[in-house]
């Protein structure tokens, strides 16, 4: 068994360490070793700030994701849907409406009327024509 040594801490700090140690480790020695190893392995000082916390990073990511979603919706409304509609209209087979042809009036109202007629009094019968 290893020997123990006493270290003097202020009560408030000792209580905080004991609570932390009970939550995460079996013994206070394991807790202290892990804390020291963490700082040595990561080559950081306990006095340095590591930057933004997980909550602030998450909030920034959510804002960016919402902005990307808004951009995608705008693109969908202004570009994708109209383009898809135009492409679909190209592939839809519809029978063309049968409209009557537009024809000039002089050809449309052609009536087969006789332009010149003989006067009835001047008509000759076939016999009379043969005599002449």
């Amino acid at each position: 068994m290893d020997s123990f040594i006493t270290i003097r801490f202020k009560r408030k700090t000792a209580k905080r360490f004991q609570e932390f140690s009970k939550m995460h480790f079996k013994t206070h020695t394991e807790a202290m070793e892990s804390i020291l190893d963490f700082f040595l392995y990561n080559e950081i000082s306990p006095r340095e700030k590591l930057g933004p916390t997980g909550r602030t990073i998450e909030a920034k990511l959510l804002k960016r994701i919402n902005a990307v979603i808004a951009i995608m919706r705008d693109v969908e409304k202004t570009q994708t849907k109209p383009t898809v509609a135009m492409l679909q209209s190209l592939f839809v087979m519809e029978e063309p409406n049968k409209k009557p042809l537009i024809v000039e009036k002089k050809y449309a109202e052609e009536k087969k009327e006789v332009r010149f007629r003989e006067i009835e009094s001047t008509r000759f019968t076939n016999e009379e024509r043969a005599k002449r």
Side-chain angles (χ1 to χ4, degrees):
M1 186 168 155
D2 290 331
S3 61
F4 288 92
I5 188 171
T6 57
I7 300 176
R8 296 178 65 181
F9 291 109
K10 292 184 179 178
R11 261 184 221 282
K12 185 178 174 184
T13 307
K15 291 287 182 189
R16 281 182 58 205
F17 178 74
Q18 286 174 344
E19 288 172 10
F20 174 81
S21 166
K22 285 179 184 176
M23 253 195 292
H24 298 287
F25 300 97
K26 292 180 183 177
T27 64
H28 297 312
T29 304
E30 284 181 24
M32 185 56 71
E33 284 177 352
S34 294
I35 291 169
L36 294 173
D37 290 343
F38 173 81
F39 287 114
L40 290 173
Y41 178 77
N42 292 305
E43 297 179 358
I44 57 174
S45 167
R47 293 178 189 223
E48 296 180 12
K49 287 199 173 187
L50 297 176
T53 64
R55 289 181 189 160
T56 56
I57 292 173
E58 182 183 8
K60 286 181 182 178
L61 282 174
L62 286 175
K63 285 181 186 177
R64 294 309 311 151
I65 289 171
N66 288 338
V68 168
I69 290 170
I71 291 169
M72 289 176 63
R73 285 183 181 159
D74 183 52
V75 166
E76 183 178 306
K77 285 179 187 174
T78 59
Q79 295 174 5
T80 308
K81 285 184 179 179
T83 305
V84 168
M86 288 191 308
L87 287 174
Q88 284 179 342
S89 69
L90 289 174
F91 291 112
V92 171
M93 297 296 289
E94 289 184 17
E95 291 185 27
N97 295 336
K98 292 184 179 180
K99 295 181 181 176
L101 295 175
I102 300 173
V103 182
E104 281 188 61
K105 283 186 178 181
K106 66 181 181 181
Y107 296 115
E109 296 178 6
E110 261 187 42
K111 294 181 182 174
K112 297 191 177 185
E113 291 183 21
V114 178
R115 294 175 70 185
F116 300 104
R117 292 186 184 177
E118 287 184 38
I119 302 174
E120 290 183 25
S121 62
T122 59
R123 275 194 183 170
F124 297 107
T125 61
N126 287 338
E127 294 172 7
E128 293 176 352
R129 279 187 197 162
K131 289 180 185 177
R132 287 188 177 185

